[in-house]
Amino acid sequence: MLKVSYTLIASLLFLILNGTQPWRTETPKNYTTTTRIDSLRNASSWPEELSISNFSSADITPSPACIAVAPSGEVYVGVDKMGSLGKKPGNGSIVRLVDTNNDGKIDQHTTYALADNPRGILPIGDRVYVLHTVFSKETGIATGMNLVVFEDKNNDGVADGPSSLLIEHISSPKFLQSRGTDHATNGIRMGIDGWIYIAVGDFGFHNATDRSGKKMTMLGGGIVRVRPDGTEMEVYTHGMRNIYDVAIDPYMNIFARGNTNDGGGWNIRFSNQIQSGEYGYPVLFKHFTDEIIPALIDLGGGSGTGALFMDDATWPAKYNNVPMMADWGRSQLYIHRVTPDGASFTQKEEPFIKLAQITDIDIDASGRAYLSAWDGAGYSGNPKKGFVVRAVPKNWVYKPFADLKKASVSKLTAYLSSGSAVARLAAQQELLTRPTKKYSKAVWKLTTDKNKPLAARVAALFTYAQATGVEGIANLLKLTEDADLKEFALRALADRKGNLAPVPTEPFLNGLKDSSPRVRVAATVGLGRLGRTEVADALLQVAVPSTFAAPAIGTEGPHATPNSAIIPAHIAVRSLVSLNAVDACVKAIGTANSTIALWALRYMHDSKAANGLMAAYQRTNDESLKKQILTTLSRIYKKEADYDGSWWWSTRPDTHGPYYKAITWESSAAIKDFLVAEWQKSTDKQFYIDLNSRHRMEIPEFGKEEPVAVKEEVKVDLEKIRNKKGQVGEASIEDVMLAMAKFQGDAALGKTIFTQQGCIACHSLSKGEVMKGPFMGQIGSIMNREQIAESILKPNASISQGFSTVLITAKRNKSYMGFITEESATKVVLRDITGQVTTLKTSDIVSRKEMETSMMPSGLVNALSYEEFASLLTFLAQQK
């Protein structure tokens, strides 16, 4: 009892050190009815229809950054004791956990492989794909991130040997070296189309190289995909900030929960990722929102991590067929109720399972879900923090998944109709290891069986497409006449660029006229992939909706409001750009298709485009069209510099747009001369001033504007900045944490700040004082300096079960808020922030609710300099 009491008190002391931060949001009012079990340390709330149990703790799985579960139930945990800001190798591994008798407890665990900063795991058969940071053996410095694959053919829980390299350098090493992996490349997940989808943070990458030798560079974040053999690497979407994972449904709809840190908080944005789409971060999503696919919602503060599309028939219907998104910052797994809306969706978020700094979720083919949590491990990891829990429905009955290697073709084909997405994918991948002629007919039969569920038919279709390649094109073309499968047939026909030569154009052109917006979008994407410029005229006929409207200058557009109407035109523009359809776009200026043509020309930095625009301007007398042409010319006056991996826009980038590191190009001089000449003749000088400002052309004649310099990584003069007031509030948490490692601070000054910042009003330092809020007199013996800093900057991220603020409503309409210091079956003892103690009979309690936020005021250290904050930390760390 003494040990338990000490743990409760110690945790209480630090976990409520400060108040709500500005980026926190209220719990949605539609919170699912949940059960709270105080005896379960690792989870604090979940739906009553589920059973959750501890599966592993920090002794086996400390600092779990990611998790993946094999179809048969083996759990692979990416242990990362280096954390997101650590830079020393030798602290990462893949740990394999096995529950042989399905009692919810580990029976075996092995270190499957060593890998620093594991950020994504994907088990397929006897292979395990891992995305992780690589360090030089000679220098111990990070050299990049690689996607690799291990094998364990004898199934002893240990990889048979070194990994095989699939993609090299898929994150820029410079920032791995200076910051760690906090904005690097993250989760991996396979879709039923057989591609591995990779969530890329906004470090981006330079000269990533796949197994075939193909090189690719991407400025900023998005989704990249690659075949399981490490070939055909390509960008899927672009313009995300710091996504950690993707959720993929049975129909290849992809969802992501990313966040921004652009000066307005760490806001979470939930999005539907549509192939070839541009999402705009950081240069388009504020002031050029007409050009992007907006997120479905801005949810306020948080930090998105792992994701899963739950598709398992053993789960309750209301928790099935939904994307589930982990939020590390909110310590919460969320469900997003998505509703079809044209080519995309609308959504409604609701809390689902609460875990302390949840990092990831995955499920096996029998319906056992596993969730990993950081549990206060800190930005640099911790060997004593972290856990994994298992979640299953209460009425769930375990059914072992078959050994697919021993399964017949008929059995494997039957699994393609399973109610488990995991089982369908596993069966598909096993079939693909067999001779094609032994199963192609059976799979085709399932594809064409209209009595089967659509998810089964789609799984069979993509299995057939992967197995037969070019030889299967004739049959796939037949499916473009099937209303249910048309969308997926078009997608499969254009999916592999090496197989496109025999694919005809006509089904895609017909698809552009289909009544279904999803079919139209699939056809539009396909036309861009086919690479045939003769289809440009058809793409130019895609209607641009009235929602295509640029925000007024200086205002922020609707970057997180569903706009399904814009998607067909947006994707058509992306395809026109992919085809480099300059001639067709120039020709369309002034016609009924002028709007979409000019939209596409914004991205065509080609002399033919510049010359064509200027010629079209001279031909027309339409003043509105003239302004549109001038706007397009001003847009292409500069372009984005080629990315070489040497710079990054930092955690708070300039979001003005339309470019981040803008440079002139070969036609810039001619465009400038043309614009200046027209400016001289114009009576509307303000129009040119606005163009100059909006597109940051920096043409002196139009009025000067100080350009915002690219935030290069430079050495910091600590002496010069250490006393800058307000520095903590102006910087991102990551940057503050990095700075605190360099500043020691002055304990004497820290004691003064403790009083000046009002801490003394809520916290006691001596046991002789009246106990008010959490006691700080022993904080240094409980937490290290980094943990204290984290709890101050982001206190709610680390609040564990039992240590939250509690709101109690009692009989006679009385309410009490505070911390539970003692509890029994008959009474609850609560201490409020003033130190007042109240004892309540449990029979008098009407309701009891754990609050999502602390009682303390927010932003108490925002006005401090780095030196002042470091001094406060040093003072608190000395309280032992």
Side-chain angles (χ1 to χ4, degrees):
M1 181 64 189
L2 287 175
K3 182 177 180 180
V4 173
S5 298
Y6 177 78
T7 302
L8 291 173
I9 294 170
S11 299
L12 182 62
L13 296 181
F14 80 87
L15 289 169
I16 319 296
L17 180 61
N18 264 312
T20 307
Q21 293 296 316
W23 55 85
R24 292 291 301 181
T25 57
E26 294 296 325
T27 302
K29 294 181 180 179
N30 61 326
Y31 198 105
T32 307
T33 301
T34 60
T35 301
R36 295 179 183 272
I37 308 295
D38 289 342
S39 62
L40 181 60
R41 180 182 68 86
N42 292 336
S44 56
S45 66
W46 60 88
E48 60 185 7
E49 297 92 338
L50 301 183
S51 294
I52 294 186
S53 58
N54 293 328
F55 192 67
S56 70
S57 298
D59 56 334
I60 298 175
T61 55
S63 304
C66 54
I67 193 170
V69 189
S72 50
E74 296 81 9
V75 181
Y76 295 86
V77 182
V79 169
D80 183 15
K81 290 181 286 186
M82 193 191 318
S84 62
L85 296 180
K87 305 176 189 67
K88 294 181 180 180
N91 289 293
S93 61
I94 309 299
V95 176
R96 181 177 182 263
L97 313 176
V98 182
D99 175 9
T100 57
N101 58 3
N102 190 50
D103 63 354
K105 299 177 182 178
I106 299 171
D107 300 310
Q108 302 169 9
H109 70 274
T110 54
T111 299
Y112 178 83
L114 299 178
D116 282 308
N117 283 135
R119 281 296 180 271
I121 308 173
L122 174 65
I124 300 290
D126 53 20
R127 296 162 291 159
V128 176
Y129 295 83
V130 177
L131 177 70
H132 70 103
T133 304
V134 179
F135 289 80
S136 167
K137 292 181 180 179
E138 291 75 24
T139 65
I141 296 175
T143 59
M145 295 188 80
N146 292 349
L147 177 65
V148 302
V149 61
F150 294 94
E151 287 188 318
D152 178 17
K153 291 188 177 296
N154 61 2
N155 197 36
D156 65 352
V158 178
D160 295 337
S163 63
S164 297
L165 179 64
L166 300 181
I167 301 179
E168 187 177 21
H169 302 315
I170 195 162
S171 186
S172 296
K174 180 172 182 179
F175 309 105
L176 294 171
Q177 295 165 11
S178 62
R179 293 188 60 89
T181 62
D182 63 338
H183 289 249
T185 304
N186 299 295
I188 56 176
R189 193 169 289 279
M190 181 177 281
I192 199 64
D193 60 357
W195 290 87
I196 297 174
Y197 289 80
I198 307 170
V200 180
D202 64 318
F203 278 170
F205 53 83
H206 174 65
N207 276 347
T209 307
D210 75 6
R211 201 167 192 171
S212 70
K214 178 181 179 181
K215 293 184 182 296
M216 193 167 73
T217 293
M218 186 164 81
L219 170 60
I223 298 174
V224 168
R225 67 178 190 171
V226 69
R227 297 306 300 178
D229 64 355
T231 64
E232 302 180 50
M233 173 178 61
E234 61 181 35
V235 174
Y236 186 78
T237 61
H238 179 261
M240 303 302 292
R241 178 186 185 249
N242 200 21
I243 56 174
Y244 198 87
D245 201 0
V246 294
I248 308 176
D249 81 358
Y251 312 110
M252 289 310 305
N253 297 300
I254 299 180
F255 303 94
R257 187 180 178 96
N259 72 344
T260 64
N261 184 12
D262 40 64
W266 288 259
N267 282 22
I268 287 294
R269 292 173 183 133
F270 175 72
S271 63
N272 174 207
Q273 296 284 297
I274 297 175
Q275 187 171 9
S276 77
E278 171 58 56
Y279 292 78
Y281 186 86
V283 293
L284 300 178
F285 86 103
K286 279 192 173 182
H287 306 304
F288 297 84
T289 47
D290 51 325
E291 302 182 26
I292 68 170
I293 297 179
L296 300 183
I297 191 170
D298 186 321
L299 293 160
S303 182
T305 45
L308 170 73
F309 190 90
M310 176 60 75
D311 181 12
D312 191 290
T314 68
W315 276 61
K318 66 179 177 179
Y319 304 124
N320 195 24
N321 297 308
V322 289
M324 295 182 174
M325 299 280 162
D327 194 301
W328 183 91
R330 296 184 183 183
S331 295
Q332 184 78 54
L333 179 67
Y334 289 93
I335 282 175
H336 291 268
R337 305 280 182 193
V338 292
T339 302
D341 175 30
S344 185
F345 299 87
T346 56
Q347 72 81 53
K348 185 177 181 181
E349 181 201 54
E350 63 183 56
F352 183 48
I353 297 173
K354 193 167 185 64
L355 288 181
Q357 294 182 315
I358 181 171
T359 56
D360 210 353
I361 176 174
D362 205 9
I363 191 170
D364 70 9
S366 67
R368 293 176 290 187
Y370 295 87
L371 297 82
S372 58
W374 207 245
D375 192 25
Y379 287 96
S380 297
N382 189 318
K384 298 181 180 180
K385 293 284 187 177
F387 60 85
V388 175
V389 298
R390 188 188 80 158
V392 294
K394 279 188 176 176
N395 60 353
W396 173 86
V397 177
Y398 173 63
K399 294 181 180 179
F401 189 56
D403 183 348
L404 296 186
K405 286 189 174 297
K406 299 177 181 179
S408 65
V409 166
S410 61
K411 186 72 171 178
L412 291 171
T413 305
Y415 269 122
L416 292 178
S417 297
S418 168
S420 161
V422 173
R424 294 195 297 271
L425 180 61
Q428 176 196 78
Q429 292 300 302
E430 176 59 30
L431 280 169
L432 292 173
T433 68
R434 312 283 179 93
T436 303
K437 62 182 180 180
K438 290 188 176 182
Y439 64 89
S440 58
K441 288 184 179 179
V443 171
W444 177 251
K445 182 179 179 181
L446 174 58
T447 304
T448 56
D449 188 347
K450 295 188 177 183
N451 293 318
K452 293 294 185 181
L454 182 59
R457 298 182 69 195
V458 170
L461 184 158
F462 280 114
T463 306
Y464 183 83
Q466 292 175 71
T468 59
V470 172
E471 294 178 0
I473 289 175
N475 274 339
L476 291 176
L477 288 170
K478 296 176 185 178
L479 298 179
T480 62
E481 301 300 321
D482 184 324
D484 293 330
L485 294 183
K486 186 181 301 185
E487 170 193 348
F488 311 105
L490 291 172
R491 181 166 182 150
L493 283 165
D495 205 34
R496 307 285 293 277
K497 289 193 173 181
N499 297 340
L500 296 180
V503 177
T505 306
E506 286 72 22
F508 295 89
L509 294 175
N510 292 335
L512 288 182
K513 305 170 187 175
D514 198 88
S515 60
S516 165
R518 294 183 63 89
V519 172
R520 294 200 300 272
V521 167
T524 306
V525 171
L527 288 171
R529 294 180 65 80
L530 289 175
R532 298 164 193 168
T533 55
E534 62 267 23
V535 306
D537 288 341
L539 290 170
L540 285 164
Q541 293 177 42
V542 175
V544 178
S546 59
T547 54
F548 179 68
I553 189 167
T555 65
E556 187 171 316
H559 52 72
T561 302
N563 186 6
S564 61
I566 202 68
I567 293 172
H570 177 99
I571 299 301
V573 166
R574 303 318 304 167
S575 289
L576 286 165
V577 174
S578 177
L579 294 171
N580 194 31
V582 177
D583 293 336
C585 290
V586 167
K587 186 178 178 181
I589 297 173
T591 70
N593 304 323
S594 186
T595 299
I596 194 169
L598 289 169
W599 182 0
L601 284 166
R602 297 179 189 184
Y603 317 107
M604 297 180 182
H605 290 86
D606 185 300
S607 294
K608 290 193 298 181
N611 294 333
L613 284 162
M614 289 185 282
Y617 181 90
Q618 301 290 8
R619 288 195 302 268
T620 185
N621 293 318
D622 184 329
E623 291 301 320
S624 175
L625 179 59
K626 280 179 175 285
K627 285 193 171 183
Q628 292 175 42
I629 293 171
L630 291 173
T631 299
T632 307
L633 278 169
S634 71
R635 173 61 180 273
I636 65 171
Y637 172 66
K638 288 186 176 180
K639 69 175 185 177
E640 193 72 71
D642 291 337
Y643 185 55
D644 62 4
S646 67
W647 55 274
W648 176 56
W649 40 55
S650 84
T651 53
R652 300 184 70 172
D654 169 27
T655 55
H656 182 287
Y659 309 111
Y660 188 75
K661 195 172 186 178
I663 59 171
T664 55
W665 57 290
E666 62 186 72
S667 289
S668 294
I671 293 171
K672 177 182 177 181
D673 291 343
F674 185 86
L675 292 175
V676 170
E678 292 305 310
W679 168 77
Q680 290 172 338
K681 293 183 288 185
S682 176
T683 57
D684 185 2
K685 304 296 186 186
Q686 188 63 46
F687 175 73
Y688 292 87
I689 293 171
D690 290 345
L691 285 182
N692 204 35
S693 173
R694 179 173 175 78
H695 293 144
R696 287 199 168 162
M697 293 187 290
E698 301 175 79
I699 295 177
E701 289 85 347
F702 299 163
K704 295 182 179 180
E705 181 183 8
E706 289 296 322
V708 175
V710 173
K711 296 176 182 177
E712 307 265 1
E713 291 285 320
V714 297
K715 292 183 178 180
V716 177
D717 184 342
L718 298 179
E719 290 301 319
K720 182 178 289 187
I721 68 169
R722 66 168 58 238
N723 289 310
K724 179 183 177 183
K725 296 294 182 182
Q727 203 163 10
V728 172
E730 294 172 354
S732 72
I733 290 178
E734 297 94 335
D735 288 338
V736 174
M737 295 293 288
L738 288 169
M740 290 305 99
K742 301 175 184 177
F743 287 93
Q744 180 55 40
D746 179 356
L749 174 61
K751 184 175 182 179
T752 301
I753 292 170
F754 187 83
T755 300
Q756 290 177 343
Q757 297 302 116
C759 306
I760 195 69
C762 303
H763 302 283
S764 302
L765 292 170
S766 169
K767 291 184 177 179
E769 298 176 58
V770 175
M771 291 288 101
K772 293 171 282 190
F775 179 58
M776 292 290 106
Q778 293 177 325
I779 189 68
S781 64
I782 302 166
M783 301 177 66
N784 61 34
R785 198 166 174 273
E786 179 181 328
Q787 291 168 329
I788 295 173
E790 183 181 355
S791 66
I792 292 174
L793 294 168
K794 206 168 186 178
N796 297 299
S798 298
I799 296 178
S800 298
Q801 166 64 16
F803 308 129
S804 304
T805 304
V806 175
L807 174 63
I808 291 178
T809 302
K811 292 178 180 178
R812 294 176 292 280
N813 200 30
K814 292 186 177 181
S815 296
Y816 305 88
M817 182 182 289
F819 313 107
I820 304 297
T821 59
E822 184 180 345
E823 184 174 5
S824 69
T826 58
K827 68 178 181 180
V828 171
V829 181
L830 177 142
R831 184 184 295 275
D832 68 17
I833 200 167
T834 66
Q836 181 69 38
V837 176
T838 303
T839 300
L840 300 169
K841 294 180 180 180
T842 54
S843 58
D844 287 341
I845 295 175
V846 176
S847 66
R848 169 176 166 176
K849 180 181 179 181
E850 285 189 16
M851 308 300 290
E852 295 292 314
T853 57
S854 168
M855 295 192 299
M856 296 287 285
S858 63
L860 292 183
V861 298
N862 283 355
L864 299 183
S865 69
Y866 281 170
E867 175 67 11
E868 289 169 330
F869 186 42
S871 297
L872 176 61
L873 297 179
T874 298
F875 168 71
L876 291 173
Q878 291 180 0
Q879 305 307 302
K880 298 181 179 180

